[in-house]
């Protein structure tokens, strides 16, 4: 339990840095770039982040668990690291190839500026190949978290100094991408220094991909869903609608994501507990986290006029209206995340949880796109709420089957 609490602290610290620093970036970028250019930058960023999460493939759960159970066996850890990096390379090549094919057939999306393609690609590489999962598995969270925080602060200072007008959109994206590349480069060097020469082969990498499929569907599809929503909105509506959507989306995403460090830290604990025939304490965490999320959602709605004014400025006042609806997503999402990581997946139901999430994400994106073409940003919010409600129903059904002894 001591290790669980320690991991919770450092994972929470990493998450908080990913929450506070983007909020500090928000007023710099919105005031310097304006809604239209800011929307274009966020569209490019959301595409890059969504693709990088596909490359990450849920290895932050599956591979970190493998590393954790292999501590003391350096040869095995070297194999895991090598095969995961090779697996990521295979997935990345597939993603890049399909992206170029789509652009050749369909053309460049109207919301994507040509000068943003290269920095968005660098951002994709930086975050897709991050070895943070290795440090979770070896429980060495302090160094990587502090390095990540330091580099994000450097990037924040760079944005403040160099980004001052709408023509600096590409420069802003380059600054964020370079900080990510330095982080990934240094942490990867750290990993290889510890394990020595990694070993890998294509067959073992494909096995890693196959074995991590259901974990990917559950963990990464949720991240892709939140990261892809601005991109889908950009395709369905205007840059302005994307611009007013993103501040609200960032606040809601950050609030809902506060549960993930705790759930991730407790995940191996509950897995072992259920394997040993222990009591179903995961349900207690589900209810506690959902209740806290509901309180947080109410607090966010109350503070939203002030938060948007301070963080984005009076040009983004329509973002406040979005948060009134958007905040309902917070307790729904936390309930679904808690039920999956504390009850279903620890008991081997990652397949049902993964397919449920993929199905609901598809519904959310389709509904969001259709509604956004008519209603703009608020339509995207409604689509996300529909998808999350469908997921809640599916996961509750899966949990009921589990309690009844169903497969």
């Amino acid at each position: 339990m001591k290790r669980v609490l320690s991991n919770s602290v450092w994972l929470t610290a990493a998450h908080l840095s990913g929450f506070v620093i983007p909020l500090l970036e928000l007023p710099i970028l919105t005031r310097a770039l304006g809604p239209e250019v800011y929307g274009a930058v966020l569209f490019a960023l959301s595409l890059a982040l969504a693709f990088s999460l596909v490359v990450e493939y849920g290895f932050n759960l599956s591979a970190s668990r493998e590393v954790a159970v292999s501590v003391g066996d350096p040869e095995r850890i070297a194999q895991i690291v090598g095969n995961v990096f090779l697996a990521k390379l295979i997935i990345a090549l597939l993603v890049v190839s399909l992206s170029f094919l789509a652009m050749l057939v369909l053309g460049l999306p109207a919301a994507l500026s040509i000068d943003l393609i290269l920095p968005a690609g660098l951002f994709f590489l930086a975050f897709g190949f991050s070895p943070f999962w290795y440090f979770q598995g070896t429980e060495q969270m302090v160094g990587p978290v502090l390095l990540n925080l330091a580099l994000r602060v450097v990037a924040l200072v760079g944005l403040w100094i160099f980004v001052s007008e709408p023509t600096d959109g590409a420069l802003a994206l380059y600054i964020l991408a370079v900080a990510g590349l330095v982080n990934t480069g240094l942490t990867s060097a750290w990993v290889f220094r510890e394990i020595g020469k990694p070993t890998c082969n294509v067959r073992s990498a494909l096995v890693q991909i196959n074995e991590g499929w259901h974990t990917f569907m559950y963990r990464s599809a949720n991240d892709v869903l939140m990261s892809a929503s601005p991109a889908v909105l950009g395709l369905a509506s205007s840059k302005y609608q994307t611009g007013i959507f993103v501040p609200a989306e960032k606040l809601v995403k950050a609030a809902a994501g506060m549960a993930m460090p705790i759930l991730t830290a407790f995940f191996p604990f509950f897995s072992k507990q259920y394997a040993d025939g222990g009591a179903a304490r995961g349900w207690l965490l589900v209810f506690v986290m959902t209740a806290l999320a509901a309180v947080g959602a109410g607090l966010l709605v109350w503070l939203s006029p002030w938060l948007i004014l301070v963080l984005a400025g009076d040009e983004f006042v329509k973002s406040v209206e979005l948060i009134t609806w958007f905040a309902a997503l917070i307790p729904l999402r936390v309930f679904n995340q808690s039920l999956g990581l504390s009850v279903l997946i620890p008991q081997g139901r990652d397949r049902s949880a993964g397919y449920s999430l993929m199905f609901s994400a598809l519904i959310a994106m389709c509904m969001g796109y259709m509604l956004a073409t008519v209603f703009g940003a608020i339509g995207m919010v409604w689509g996300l709420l529909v998808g999350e409600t469908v997921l809640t129903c599916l996961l509750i059904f899966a949990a009921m089957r589990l309690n009844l002894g169903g497969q």
Side-chain angles (χ1 to χ4, degrees), residues 263 266 270 274 282-283 285-286 337-344 346:
L263 297 174
F266 272 90
F270 286 131
Y274 284 119
W283 277 104
L285 188 61
V286 172
Q337 290 172 339
S338 302
L339 187 56
L341 289 176
S342 301
V343 177
L344 293 174

Side-chain angles (χ1 to χ4, degrees), residues 134-326:
Y134 169 84
F135 298 101
Q136 286 181 229
T138 56
E139 298 180 316
Q140 302 177 78
M141 305 301 301
V142 182
V145 168
L146 292 178
L147 176 62
N148 178 65
L149 177 59
L151 289 170
R152 297 200 69 169
V153 170
V154 170
L156 178 65
V157 173
L159 292 175
W160 178 62
I161 293 174
F162 297 109
V163 178
S164 58
E165 55 188 36
T167 56
D168 292 333
L171 176 60
L173 194 47
Y174 272 115
I175 291 172
L176 296 173
V178 169
L181 282 172
V182 172
N183 190 7
T184 296
L186 291 176
T187 49
S188 297
W190 187 343
V191 171
F192 295 139
R193 181 180 178 183
E194 284 196 355
I195 69 168
K197 183 179 179 180
T199 58
C200 63
N201 59 72
V202 174
R203 177 176 294 181
S204 297
L206 294 176
V207 169
Q208 282 280 355
I209 294 173
N210 180 62
E211 291 181 349
W213 170 245
H214 296 116
T215 303
F216 162 71
M217 284 196 299
Y218 181 80
R219 181 65 186 270
S220 295
N222 187 45
D223 294 333
V224 170
L225 173 62
M226 283 301 285
S227 301
S229 51
V232 172
L233 177 58
L235 293 172
S237 190
S238 65
K239 294 179 182 178
Y240 174 78
Q241 291 294 320
T242 304
I244 64 170
F245 174 83
V246 169
E249 183 257 354
K250 279 184 174 291
L251 289 170
V252 170
K253 181 180 177 180
M258 287 298 296
M260 283 307 298
I262 298 172
L263 297 174
T264 301
F266 272 90
F267 172 71
F269 173 78
F270 286 131
S271 297
K272 186 176 186 304
Q273 186 182 59
Y274 284 119
D276 294 340
R281 296 181 184 176
W283 277 104
L284 177 60
L285 188 61
V286 172
F287 293 131
V288 169
M289 298 301 293
T290 304
L292 292 174
V295 173
L299 187 62
L300 178 60
V301 171
W302 180 52
L303 293 174
S304 60
W306 176 78
L307 288 172
I308 293 297
L309 181 62
V310 171
L311 296 173
D314 53 12
E315 287 185 283
F316 292 81
V317 66
K318 289 189 175 294
S319 297
V320 177
E321 302 173 18
L322 298 181
I323 291 178
T324 304
W325 283 92
F326 222 156

Side-chain angles (χ1 to χ4, degrees), residues 98-124:
L98 291 176
S99 299
F100 274 112
L101 179 62
M103 284 193 291
L104 288 174
V105 174
L106 303 175
L108 199 66
L112 181 61
S113 302
I114 295 178
D115 62 333
L116 298 179
I117 294 178
L118 179 56
L122 296 176
F123 190 92
F124 156 71

